Amino acid sequence: MAEPRTVLLAHGGGGRLMHELLAELLPLLSPTAAPPSVLNDAAVLEVEGCRLAFTTDSFVVTPAFFPGGDIGRLAVCGTVNDLAMVGARPVALSLGLVIEEGLPRETLERVLRSVAAAGAEAGVGVATGDTKVVERGAADGLFINTAGLGVVPAGVTLSGDAVQPGDAVLINGTIGDHGLAVLAARQQLGLRGGLTSDCAPLNSLVEALLAAAGPHLHCLRDPTRGGVAATLHEVAGQSGVAVQLEEAALPVAAPVQGACATLGLDPLYVANEGKALVFVAAEGAAAALEAMRAHPLGREAVEIGRVLPRTDDLTAVTMRTALGVVRVVDMPRGELLPRIC
Amino acid sequence: MAEPRTVLLAHGGGGRLMHELLAELLPLLSPTAAPPSVLNDAAVLEVEGCRLAFTTDSFVVTPAFFPGGDIGRLAVCGTVNDLAMVGARPVALSLGLVIEEGLPRETLERVLRSVAAAGAEAGVGVATGDTKVVERGAADGLFINTAGLGVVPAGVTLSGDAVQPGDAVLINGTIGDHGLAVLAARQQLGLRGGLTSDCAPLNSLVEALLAAAGPHLHCLRDPTRGGVAATLHEVAGQSGVAVQLEEAALPVAAPVQGACATLGLDPLYVANEGKALVFVAAEGAAAALEAMRAHPLGREAVEIGRVLPRTDDLTAVTMRTALGVVRVVDMPRGELLPRIC
């Protein structure tokens, strides 16, 4: 296949194509230095003796309102969670709005109220912002960018390259809820009933995790675009390990299960916005699970797999099915569900 | 006139309508606390004993390439300059791309090279980023958001509410260059010849200013959307003072003068991307001018006006013309030149 000479929708999907695009483009951004070998959810910087976390995300979700959230809540949670995944306490958010001319003022106000409410939930406010308006047809309603600034506590180093064979892989609840809730809100699909986004700020859950199992934690990741499957592939690649999931342990809510069956989707590839994959040394797993289960956002926390030594590139992520068969979990190629965040 | 119930292009213009929109929306973002009374170009935060500056800007300029710059250079300079305007040294940038499906890869690569080059010029790199792709027609080619993190040196407090009667108002060169260069690049207008954006990172100029006249500096502002006129109105309002410009002192390049005459535009209202308005106590003005003139980006620095006590709302910004008549310089209402940044 000839290399595509334009950017495709699939390049934004969190899968193989996006990683290939980034691998090609990142060296352009740092022509004199090596690009970072490990892309975590947030960069950690030493600034004047402070350990700061810094991250950014743009949000283009359509529709802007969906069961369990909206673009404003998503913009806060997405960035707060990226900070939380490196163990950082969020300190400030920026808010950049790109508005299509003609957007109802009421919509904008509703989104900003939602930004404020989600910020209050996470204990972080918007410190700086920007508003741009483009003419009708030059954007789709409203795009939001948030950047986040956080403080990483002393001694905390969570990273995609720190995962080790033997680590337990935990998650704080059911998978696939967000992507399917957004899909359901696109009314033409006619999906109904019980699909609700898990969109939530995870910083207090991560604080509890750090307190309970800090020294045993190796890596946290929020499985957004590309879902659990893409995120496990990223981490497995960065740490040079393999991950084996237990199918029977994967928590999937019944409405998600049903919708996935109807649509031919696999919840492993569907985005989450209130979930963390926790890679923790086996001896810390019980304490980590206990801490998560004691938190409102982690009541259904479970161990879903184990980290194994890497034996072969093709088996970086596998799953033992209910029948005991081990099957390969592929890295998704491109966009499964466009514009879910 | 009934209040518009939708967002208008004019709401993004840096003028009166944008300020009205922000005055209405900002309280929604901080429902429990008073919104900041003074909006500077960057927020200054005390974090773990560090004084940090934090700012964000989205860039939707069309066309993406214009004489003297492009959307990538603009995205770096705009954010670096917002940091510089509070006296901060830039430490890290974030880069959020929203790409319309079908964007040529070559365009994207050219923009990223430009981001890298402008970053190298300013001495700051991209620490974290995000890429979203939306379907054809849902965005216009490429939008970029940059957020910036900086360190404010001890003792430096530059703010829009610190300007005092008697202060000199300086600028580091000609006005209106950026807006007209972008306009000229829109070929249907048939403008040609000599119009070049002033787009440049001002952090080293500001460093020189702080070294030469630090204790005398009260406020720095980069006059982008809405131009010098809108920025002076903002500062005059925040400090409760008036500003009187000297028309004869205003530096306007001949091609800008000519294009403005042709189009019926006033360069006072046209955006700049490499200019700083410097409000400095009279006794520091000579040192500040000297420091700027010794810098490549300040060779044409001049004093363009003085700060006066406020006597009447209607005369917050005035200009003494070449004929000695004092005329009112209005706050622009809305969008003069849409999408110039």
Side-chain angles (χ1 to χ4, degrees), chain A residues 3 5 7 24 28 48 50 57-58 89 102-103 105 116 130-132 135 138-140 143 145 225 339, chain B residues 3 5 7 24 28 48 50 57-58 89 102-103 105 116 130-132 135 138 140 143 145 225 339:
Chain A
E3 190 202 11
R5 296 312 310 152
V7 178
E24 204 176 296
L28 302 178
E48 310 265 305
C50 295
D57 253 321
S58 300
R89 174 175 63 80
L103 184 78
R105 284 280 276 270
D130 176 59
T131 305
K132 292 289 187 308
E135 63 275 24
D140 188 11
F143 299 151
N145 177 284
R225 281 182 288 177
R339 296 185 61 187
Chain B
E3 189 203 11
R5 295 313 309 153
V7 178
E24 204 177 297
L28 302 180
E48 309 268 303
C50 295
D57 253 321
S58 300
R89 173 176 64 78
L103 184 78
R105 285 279 278 267
D130 176 58
T131 304
K132 292 289 186 308
E135 62 276 25
D140 189 10
F143 299 150
N145 177 285
R225 280 181 288 178
R339 295 185 62 187

Side-chain angles (χ1 to χ4, degrees), chain A residues 106-148:
Chain A
E106 199 198 323
T107 304
L108 187 55
E109 289 166 15
R110 202 174 145 198
V111 168
L112 292 181
R113 281 198 190 90
S114 179
V115 165
E121 214 174 308
V124 65
V126 172
T128 184
D130 176 59
T131 305
K132 292 289 187 308
V133 184
V134 298
E135 63 275 24
R136 263 172 224 274
D140 188 11
L142 176 64
F143 299 151
I144 299 184
N145 177 284
T146 43

